[in-house]
Amino acid sequence: MRRIFTSLIFLVPMIIMAQTPIPNNSFENWTNFGSYENPTGWDSPNYEISSIPFFGTTVVTKSTDHQGAGNYSVRMESKHITLPPLDIPGFISNGNLTLDIVNMTYTMTGGEPVFDQPTHLKGYFKFLPKGGDSCLIAIGLFKRNGLVRDTIAGGFFSTKDTIPDWTPFSAWIDYDSVVQPDSMNIFAFSTAQQVVTPGTVLFLDNLYLDYTVGVNKLDPKTGISVYNDRETSRLLVFFDFPEPQPVSLCLFNMMGQQVAALPSSRIQNERRIIGYEKLPKGVYILEILHSGQKYCEKYFLKN
């Protein structure tokens, strides 16, 4: 028993290290660019709008109002610029952000490496909206495919509620594919809607990625993978075949009764969904018929 316990002590740090960290997730480190600061490793529209003659300002600033340990958080404020007349939200991205002031459009590229498949983006926030404003905190996961960057998954959190105290948030990440992503882009807006209300403020601190569910690969050779999404009570079944194949899916309870099914169809690179939100909590068997073979996997499902 003592040997097993000692092994577990050394195993836990290895598991934690394998998960993807978010650089400067608590916004403790800031880079000074003269007329403005940005949290180190994060981009903002501060460069573009601080360069406006006579009317330059910043919408992202360092705040000593923070959550937990540390000294700082990031503060984003929606502001009005007199010339040219613009209402612009405060926003950040851990990728490269380019703002077109004339057309009020922006592009976000790049991002940080990701080494696994997180299920949630979590952290702490405060939100002080004006005039029915809403905020947005979001994440995108991507995979480079030649010159194209494919979107693998994404998730977001948004609210219109006034949150005057530090409060945890959770953005569930929805996967369109079980392909391993190689980069992530996290971004946050003090205003998430088209009409910006000056004076709206969003604070953000202590971001992290969570791993509460995962992908179960029935057999890597089959090209079939299953993602048990407990948050939305769905089994997401992913198929990656070299050519279209006839496939059918059935879900059985432990009495052998069929409780859900998807009719047979020809599938190649697609996703199928079986919802179990109306089923009682218990053990179920997912049966997949493919190319004359049967694959079965047992799941404990609860809504």
Side-chain angles (χ1 to χ4, degrees), residues 25 56 120 134 171 184 252:
N25 66 311
H120 294 78
S134 61
M184 62 177 173
F252 297 91

Side-chain angles (χ1 to χ4, degrees), residues 79-90:
K79 291 185 177 181
H80 175 75
I81 300 175
T82 304
L83 189 67
L86 292 174
D87 292 323
I88 183 170

Side-chain angles (χ1 to χ4, degrees), residues 255-269:
M255 301 294 292
Q257 300 168 320
Q258 179 178 295
V259 295
L262 295 178
S264 177
S265 60
R266 295 184 66 83
I267 295 174
Q268 185 172 6
N269 302 109

Side-chain angles (χ1 to χ4, degrees), residues 47-119:
Y47 168 73
E48 288 86 351
I49 62 175
S50 66
S51 302
I52 299 174
F54 306 111
F55 299 100
T57 185
T58 57
V59 291
V60 173
T61 54
K62 178 168 59 179
S63 174
T64 56
D65 184 351
H66 62 92
Q67 189 276 330
N71 299 301
Y72 306 113
S73 68
V74 61
R75 181 183 188 273
M76 293 157 275
E77 181 178 354
S78 302
K79 291 185 177 181
H80 175 75
I81 300 175
T82 304
L83 189 67
L86 292 174
D87 292 323
I88 183 170
F91 57 103
I92 59 170
S93 166
N94 68 346
N96 301 314
L97 192 153
T98 303
L99 174 66
D100 182 343
I101 295 180
V102 176
N103 298 307
M104 272 309 296
T105 60
Y106 62 89
T107 57
M108 285 185 287
T109 58
E112 294 291 337
V114 63
F115 310 109
D116 43 31
Q117 295 170 308
T119 58

Side-chain angles (χ1 to χ4, degrees), residues 107-157:
T107 57
M108 285 185 287
T109 58
E112 294 291 337
V114 63
F115 310 109
D116 43 31
Q117 295 170 308
T119 58
H120 294 78
L121 169 66
K122 295 185 177 182
Y124 292 83
F125 81 112
K126 292 172 59 175
F127 186 51
L128 308 174
K130 299 287 186 181
D133 231 342
S134 61
C135 66
L136 175 69
I137 306 166
I139 182 173
L141 300 176
F142 309 94
K143 173 72 173 180
R144 179 68 65 180
N145 183 12
L147 298 178
V148 178
R149 194 166 74 145
D150 295 328
T151 300
I152 304 301
F156 71 93
F157 169 84

Side-chain angles (χ1 to χ4, degrees), residues 228-230 233-234 274-279 301-303:
N228 181 11
D229 176 13
R230 296 185 179 93
S233 301
R234 300 183 303 170
I274 295 180
Y276 58 83
E277 67 277 2
K278 296 182 180 180
L279 297 177
L301 305 180
K302 58 181 180 179
N303 48 32

